[in-house]
Amino acid sequence: MKIRANLHREFRIGSIDPRLYSAFLEHMGRAVYSGIYEPGHSEADEHGFRRDVLEMVRDLKIPAVRYPGGNFVSAYDWQDGIGPKEERPVRLDLAWRSKETNQVGINEFAIWAEKAGIDMMLAINLGTRGLQEAREFVEYVNHPGGTTWSDLRRSHGVEKPHNVRMWCLGNEMDGPWQTGQKPASEYGRLANQAAKAVKGMDKTLETIVCGSSNDQMPTYPEWERQVLEECYENVDYISLHKYFGNSSHDTLNYFGKIEETGRYIQAIGGVIDYVKAKKRAKNDVHICFDEWNVWYHIREQDMENVRKWDWPEAPALLEEDYNFEDALFVAGLINEFIRRSDRVKIACIAQLVNVIAPIRAEKGGPAWRQTIYYPYQFASLYGRGEALRVAVDGPTYDCRVADDVSFMDIAATYDNAAGTVSLFILNRHLTDTADLDMTLTGFAGARLIDHRVMQGHDLRAVNGPDRPDAVSPQPGSGLGVEDGAVKGTLAPLSYHLVRLDVS
């Protein structure tokens, strides 16, 4: 399979917001309890946080984490998670039919986020609560002192404000499964008032309004139009969510869903432009793709369990075992986010630990990196700077969800300060090796400094506590820079990180 491509220094898409590689942690399943937090574990620190998990999180260099939900937030009272732990109530979580002990709340999560080197993105309950909570929550979290809510925080031993800059205005408010579901116009008006309250505390705070829960909702994309017409001038981002699966075991159709996601982003970008023009607004609204991941391996069984179980505490839920095929899919999806980084400024893998997550941790046992950890890590570490367009000429295929899908998927970033170009290359062909010839225009003297590859695994191969590195990157070979071009061979079903010195 012959692949010709061209990378031009001046063909820039735009600057990549580092928050494109953010994550999500919800109070569900074992994401928090026996995920990031497990007092009594041999790896627990003085606050009860697992050091082994923290190390894996730090290695991802995640800019921000969205917290505490998710569906959980729509019936959550943040005040249940503050003050002395022994006085905190145990509540029923309506979203996942489980008990919430509230032993981890905003102040504990802030400690963990600081240890992990991560900024917090906090979600406000606009399901069962509303405008008053938004005002009080922001005051408790961000105000220095001298007021009722800020002084309450200080009385809880937190003298300095948390200074959270990003605030989500509810979660999936279009969904019939959501506690407090609202029609678009009603939610849009509430979100507008909540956004004004948040920005009334500090006009530099960023607000994120709910878009459609996914692009298959019957109200999509009319929901986005109605919501934005109510609140456009007071919000900075609109959120998108989408989960992916391959229950039919059709690998090429699975990969085609990345093209479908590109259409989703493009459509909402058009809605944003329409509302901006209609309102004669001066501000820009970007996309926050704050829930995305593969979710299908045990989804049906989990949903059956949720319906039947009797309010357990931190039950095993959505603990997907990700395989090599999923790693290739995640690599391609992140490539799409890079290509759409003019629109998508924030994106959050959902979730971070145990629950549909790149990191797994056994209660009382070891932690390990899942297959999808590695493409996520490569993009977060090296996909910074500016996104560049890559012109690719090669064979394509048609599938159920998209036509003319390229077998060769390439995203590129240019870090001017570091003098490096990073290429994220995916050969999606099931059987054919690719002969790549990529011309480098404007990068005279480029030289290869790093090449790592994931290849040669059975598509169903997974990592686990007994084989934590079964599917992991290895040093690459067969690619190099010759006559101003990246040339070489790429095995079928392979993912490559290629870094070039262009200083």
Side-chain angles (χ1 to χ4, degrees), residues 436-465:
L436 176 65
D437 186 344
M438 174 187 283
T439 302
L440 303 174
T441 304
F443 294 113
R447 63 182 184 88
L448 181 69
I449 56 173
D450 192 12
H451 176 201
R452 279 174 273 178
V453 63
M454 297 178 72
Q455 65 182 20
H457 302 285
D458 184 280
L459 287 176
R460 306 293 170 241
V462 301
N463 295 339

mmCIF file of all heavy atoms in Angstrom, residues 436-465:
data_model
loop_
_atom_site.group_PDB
_atom_site.id
_atom_site.type_symbol
_atom_site.label_atom_id
_atom_site.label_comp_id
_atom_site.label_asym_id
_atom_site.label_seq_id
_atom_site.Cartn_x
_atom_site.Cartn_y
_atom_site.Cartn_z
ATOM 1 N N LEU A 436 5.351 4.538 3.309
ATOM 2 C CA LEU A 436 5.088 5.957 3.509
ATOM 3 C C LEU A 436 6.189 6.819 2.906
ATOM 4 O O LEU A 436 7.379 6.555 3.096
ATOM 5 C CB LEU A 436 4.976 6.253 5.011
ATOM 6 C CG LEU A 436 4.783 7.722 5.416
ATOM 7 C CD1 LEU A 436 3.438 8.256 4.921
ATOM 8 C CD2 LEU A 436 4.887 7.879 6.935
ATOM 9 N N ASP A 437 5.730 7.881 2.219
ATOM 10 C CA ASP A 437 6.638 8.907 1.708
ATOM 11 C C ASP A 437 5.997 10.256 2.026
ATOM 12 O O ASP A 437 5.105 10.708 1.318
ATOM 13 C CB ASP A 437 6.849 8.733 0.204
ATOM 14 C CG ASP A 437 7.910 9.685 -0.353
ATOM 15 O OD1 ASP A 437 8.258 10.666 0.333
ATOM 16 O OD2 ASP A 437 8.376 9.457 -1.490
ATOM 17 N N MET A 438 6.442 10.878 3.123
ATOM 18 C CA MET A 438 5.855 12.139 3.576
ATOM 19 C C MET A 438 6.857 13.278 3.378
ATOM 20 O O MET A 438 7.883 13.350 4.054
ATOM 21 C CB MET A 438 5.453 12.068 5.055
ATOM 22 C CG MET A 438 4.965 13.406 5.622
ATOM 23 S SD MET A 438 4.701 13.365 7.399
ATOM 24 C CE MET A 438 3.150 12.487 7.451
ATOM 25 N N THR A 439 6.532 14.174 2.465
ATOM 26 C CA THR A 439 7.375 15.327 2.208
ATOM 27 C C THR A 439 7.269 16.326 3.354
ATOM 28 O O THR A 439 6.171 16.621 3.831
ATOM 29 C CB THR A 439 6.961 16.008 0.893
ATOM 30 O OG1 THR A 439 7.052 15.060 -0.167
ATOM 31 C CG2 THR A 439 7.856 17.200 0.587
ATOM 32 N N LEU A 440 8.413 16.852 3.791
ATOM 33 C CA LEU A 440 8.464 17.861 4.848
ATOM 34 C C LEU A 440 8.815 19.204 4.215
ATOM 35 O O LEU A 440 9.951 19.407 3.781
ATOM 36 C CB LEU A 440 9.510 17.488 5.903
ATOM 37 C CG LEU A 440 9.349 16.129 6.573
ATOM 38 C CD1 LEU A 440 10.543 15.832 7.474
ATOM 39 C CD2 LEU A 440 8.049 16.064 7.380
ATOM 40 N N THR A 441 7.841 20.101 4.129
ATOM 41 C CA THR A 441 8.051 21.404 3.516
ATOM 42 C C THR A 441 8.229 22.458 4.601
ATOM 43 O O THR A 441 7.375 22.622 5.462
ATOM 44 C CB THR A 441 6.866 21.784 2.609
ATOM 45 O OG1 THR A 441 6.677 20.753 1.624
ATOM 46 C CG2 THR A 441 7.116 23.118 1.908
ATOM 47 N N GLY A 442 9.361 23.173 4.548
ATOM 48 C CA GLY A 442 9.636 24.198 5.553
ATOM 49 C C GLY A 442 10.369 23.676 6.766
ATOM 50 O O GLY A 442 10.575 24.412 7.739
ATOM 51 N N PHE A 443 10.763 22.416 6.726
ATOM 52 C CA PHE A 443 11.491 21.818 7.851
ATOM 53 C C PHE A 443 12.828 21.253 7.367
ATOM 54 O O PHE A 443 13.126 20.064 7.538
ATOM 55 C CB PHE A 443 10.655 20.730 8.513
ATOM 56 C CG PHE A 443 9.400 21.234 9.189
ATOM 57 C CD1 PHE A 443 8.152 20.899 8.687
ATOM 58 C CD2 PHE A 443 9.480 22.037 10.307
ATOM 59 C CE1 PHE A 443 6.999 21.350 9.308
ATOM 60 C CE2 PHE A 443 8.325 22.494 10.936
ATOM 61 C CZ PHE A 443 7.083 22.156 10.432
ATOM 62 N N ALA A 444 13.613 22.095 6.745
ATOM 63 C CA ALA A 444 14.912 21.661 6.232
ATOM 64 C C ALA A 444 15.797 21.188 7.391
ATOM 65 O O ALA A 444 15.817 21.776 8.469
ATOM 66 C CB ALA A 444 15.591 22.807 5.489
ATOM 67 N N GLY A 445 16.495 20.117 7.150
ATOM 68 C CA GLY A 445 17.407 19.593 8.161
ATOM 69 C C GLY A 445 16.742 18.770 9.241
ATOM 70 O O GLY A 445 17.374 18.456 10.266
ATOM 71 N N ALA A 446 15.484 18.410 9.051
ATOM 72 C CA ALA A 446 14.791 17.605 10.058
ATOM 73 C C ALA A 446 15.502 16.273 10.267
ATOM 74 O O ALA A 446 16.020 15.661 9.326
ATOM 75 C CB ALA A 446 13.345 17.355 9.614
ATOM 76 N N ARG A 447 15.518 15.850 11.530
ATOM 77 C CA ARG A 447 16.126 14.546 11.819
ATOM 78 C C ARG A 447 15.274 13.806 12.846
ATOM 79 O O ARG A 447 14.632 14.416 13.703
ATOM 80 C CB ARG A 447 17.554 14.702 12.314
ATOM 81 C CG ARG A 447 17.704 15.446 13.616
ATOM 82 C CD ARG A 447 19.167 15.595 14.027
ATOM 83 N NE ARG A 447 19.273 16.239 15.334
ATOM 84 C CZ ARG A 447 19.243 15.584 16.494
ATOM 85 N NH1 ARG A 447 19.106 14.265 16.505
ATOM 86 N NH2 ARG A 447 19.350 16.244 17.639
ATOM 87 N N LEU A 448 15.291 12.512 12.742
ATOM 88 C CA LEU A 448 14.503 11.654 13.631
ATOM 89 C C LEU A 448 15.147 11.599 15.011
ATOM 90 O O LEU A 448 16.343 11.348 15.142
ATOM 91 C CB LEU A 448 14.415 10.246 13.049
ATOM 92 C CG LEU A 448 13.596 9.217 13.840
ATOM 93 C CD1 LEU A 448 12.123 9.554 13.792
ATOM 94 C CD2 LEU A 448 13.834 7.815 13.279
ATOM 95 N N ILE A 449 14.354 11.868 16.057
ATOM 96 C CA ILE A 449 14.880 11.770 17.422
ATOM 97 C C ILE A 449 14.150 10.723 18.263
ATOM 98 O O ILE A 449 14.653 10.318 19.311
ATOM 99 C CB ILE A 449 14.842 13.135 18.150
ATOM 100 C CG1 ILE A 449 13.421 13.717 18.159
ATOM 101 C CG2 ILE A 449 15.817 14.098 17.526
ATOM 102 C CD1 ILE A 449 13.292 14.983 19.003
ATOM 103 N N ASP A 450 12.996 10.273 17.806
ATOM 104 C CA ASP A 450 12.265 9.267 18.589
ATOM 105 C C ASP A 450 11.259 8.575 17.694
ATOM 106 O O ASP A 450 10.596 9.213 16.863
ATOM 107 C CB ASP A 450 11.543 9.928 19.768
ATOM 108 C CG ASP A 450 11.021 8.910 20.785
ATOM 109 O OD1 ASP A 450 11.408 7.734 20.712
ATOM 110 O OD2 ASP A 450 10.240 9.320 21.673
ATOM 111 N N HIS A 451 11.138 7.283 17.840
ATOM 112 C CA HIS A 451 10.136 6.493 17.129
ATOM 113 C C HIS A 451 9.722 5.353 18.035
ATOM 114 O O HIS A 451 10.550 4.520 18.427
ATOM 115 C CB HIS A 451 10.694 5.950 15.808
ATOM 116 C CG HIS A 451 9.737 5.060 15.073
ATOM 117 N ND1 HIS A 451 10.145 4.151 14.111
ATOM 118 C CD2 HIS A 451 8.380 4.943 15.138
ATOM 119 C CE1 HIS A 451 9.102 3.514 13.626
ATOM 120 N NE2 HIS A 451 8.013 3.969 14.235
ATOM 121 N N ARG A 452 8.450 5.358 18.412
ATOM 122 C CA ARG A 452 7.904 4.276 19.216
ATOM 123 C C ARG A 452 6.654 3.727 18.541
ATOM 124 O O ARG A 452 5.934 4.473 17.866
ATOM 125 C CB ARG A 452 7.602 4.759 20.636
ATOM 126 C CG ARG A 452 8.857 4.790 21.505
ATOM 127 C CD ARG A 452 8.612 5.402 22.854
ATOM 128 N NE ARG A 452 8.775 6.853 22.851
ATOM 129 C CZ ARG A 452 8.572 7.621 23.902
ATOM 130 N NH1 ARG A 452 8.159 7.086 25.034
ATOM 131 N NH2 ARG A 452 8.763 8.914 23.834
ATOM 132 N N VAL A 453 6.397 2.460 18.752
ATOM 133 C CA VAL A 453 5.345 1.800 17.993
ATOM 134 C C VAL A 453 4.581 0.812 18.870
ATOM 135 O O VAL A 453 5.138 0.212 19.793
ATOM 136 C CB VAL A 453 5.943 1.074 16.761
ATOM 137 C CG1 VAL A 453 6.913 -0.028 17.192
ATOM 138 C CG2 VAL A 453 4.851 0.506 15.868
ATOM 139 N N MET A 454 3.275 0.692 18.565
ATOM 140 C CA MET A 454 2.443 -0.384 19.105
ATOM 141 C C MET A 454 1.957 -1.194 17.906
ATOM 142 O O MET A 454 1.228 -0.670 17.049
ATOM 143 C CB MET A 454 1.264 0.194 19.901
ATOM 144 C CG MET A 454 1.684 0.992 21.128
ATOM 145 S SD MET A 454 0.277 1.726 22.028
ATOM 146 C CE MET A 454 -0.446 0.246 22.779
ATOM 147 N N GLN A 455 2.345 -2.460 17.839
ATOM 148 C CA GLN A 455 2.010 -3.280 16.675
ATOM 149 C C GLN A 455 2.186 -4.753 17.010
ATOM 150 O O GLN A 455 2.778 -5.121 18.032
ATOM 151 C CB GLN A 455 2.908 -2.928 15.491
ATOM 152 C CG GLN A 455 4.376 -3.254 15.706
ATOM 153 C CD GLN A 455 5.263 -2.862 14.540
ATOM 154 O OE1 GLN A 455 4.897 -2.034 13.716
ATOM 155 N NE2 GLN A 455 6.461 -3.426 14.485
ATOM 156 N N GLY A 456 1.640 -5.588 16.136
ATOM 157 C CA GLY A 456 1.888 -7.019 16.209
ATOM 158 C C GLY A 456 1.097 -7.776 17.248
ATOM 159 O O GLY A 456 1.373 -8.952 17.499
ATOM 160 N N HIS A 457 0.116 -7.135 17.860
ATOM 161 C CA HIS A 457 -0.686 -7.798 18.892
ATOM 162 C C HIS A 457 -2.000 -8.304 18.305
ATOM 163 O O HIS A 457 -2.544 -7.738 17.355
ATOM 164 C CB HIS A 457 -0.998 -6.833 20.030
ATOM 165 C CG HIS A 457 0.209 -6.245 20.688
ATOM 166 N ND1 HIS A 457 1.002 -6.968 21.549
ATOM 167 C CD2 HIS A 457 0.768 -5.008 20.605
ATOM 168 C CE1 HIS A 457 2.003 -6.210 21.972
ATOM 169 N NE2 HIS A 457 1.876 -5.018 21.415
ATOM 170 N N ASP A 458 -2.526 -9.347 18.879
ATOM 171 C CA ASP A 458 -3.899 -9.745 18.577
ATOM 172 C C ASP A 458 -4.827 -8.605 18.970
ATOM 173 O O ASP A 458 -4.624 -7.962 20.005
ATOM 174 C CB ASP A 458 -4.254 -11.010 19.361
ATOM 175 C CG ASP A 458 -5.634 -11.534 19.020
ATOM 176 O OD1 ASP A 458 -6.619 -10.982 19.563
ATOM 177 O OD2 ASP A 458 -5.732 -12.482 18.232
ATOM 178 N N LEU A 459 -5.835 -8.353 18.154
ATOM 179 C CA LEU A 459 -6.729 -7.221 18.423
ATOM 180 C C LEU A 459 -7.420 -7.351 19.772
ATOM 181 O O LEU A 459 -7.817 -6.339 20.363
ATOM 182 C CB LEU A 459 -7.776 -7.091 17.313
ATOM 183 C CG LEU A 459 -7.269 -6.565 15.972
ATOM 184 C CD1 LEU A 459 -8.395 -6.579 14.943
ATOM 185 C CD2 LEU A 459 -6.702 -5.152 16.112
ATOM 186 N N ARG A 460 -7.571 -8.559 20.295
ATOM 187 C CA ARG A 460 -8.260 -8.759 21.570
ATOM 188 C C ARG A 460 -7.295 -8.812 22.760
ATOM 189 O O ARG A 460 -7.712 -9.027 23.899
ATOM 190 C CB ARG A 460 -9.087 -10.051 21.541
ATOM 191 C CG ARG A 460 -10.063 -10.128 20.376
ATOM 192 C CD ARG A 460 -11.180 -9.110 20.474
ATOM 193 N NE ARG A 460 -11.937 -9.058 19.232
ATOM 194 C CZ ARG A 460 -12.063 -7.996 18.455
ATOM 195 N NH1 ARG A 460 -11.465 -6.868 18.809
ATOM 196 N NH2 ARG A 460 -12.761 -8.025 17.339
ATOM 197 N N ALA A 461 -6.012 -8.597 22.528
ATOM 198 C CA ALA A 461 -5.025 -8.660 23.608
ATOM 199 C C ALA A 461 -5.226 -7.521 24.593
ATOM 200 O O ALA A 461 -5.484 -6.380 24.208
ATOM 201 C CB ALA A 461 -3.618 -8.598 23.022
ATOM 202 N N VAL A 462 -5.096 -7.829 25.898
ATOM 203 C CA VAL A 462 -5.317 -6.844 26.957
ATOM 204 C C VAL A 462 -4.155 -6.882 27.946
ATOM 205 O O VAL A 462 -3.374 -7.837 27.979
ATOM 206 C CB VAL A 462 -6.649 -7.100 27.707
ATOM 207 C CG1 VAL A 462 -7.835 -7.044 26.758
ATOM 208 C CG2 VAL A 462 -6.606 -8.441 28.448
ATOM 209 N N ASN A 463 -4.060 -5.839 28.749
ATOM 210 C CA ASN A 463 -3.158 -5.827 29.895
ATOM 211 C C ASN A 463 -3.939 -6.204 31.150
ATOM 212 O O ASN A 463 -5.167 -6.067 31.194
ATOM 213 C CB ASN A 463 -2.527 -4.449 30.076
ATOM 214 C CG ASN A 463 -1.615 -4.062 28.923
ATOM 215 O OD1 ASN A 463 -1.143 -4.932 28.189
ATOM 216 N ND2 ASN A 463 -1.358 -2.772 28.775
ATOM 217 N N GLY A 464 -3.232 -6.647 32.176
ATOM 218 C CA GLY A 464 -3.889 -7.006 33.424
ATOM 219 C C GLY A 464 -2.892 -7.026 34.557
ATOM 220 O O GLY A 464 -1.697 -6.799 34.355
ATOM 221 N N PRO A 465 -3.340 -7.306 35.774
ATOM 222 C CA PRO A 465 -2.434 -7.283 36.931
ATOM 223 C C PRO A 465 -1.306 -8.300 36.818
ATOM 224 O O PRO A 465 -0.218 -8.079 37.347
ATOM 225 C CB PRO A 465 -3.355 -7.596 38.108
ATOM 226 C CG PRO A 465 -4.551 -8.257 37.504
ATOM 227 C CD PRO A 465 -4.715 -7.659 36.147
#
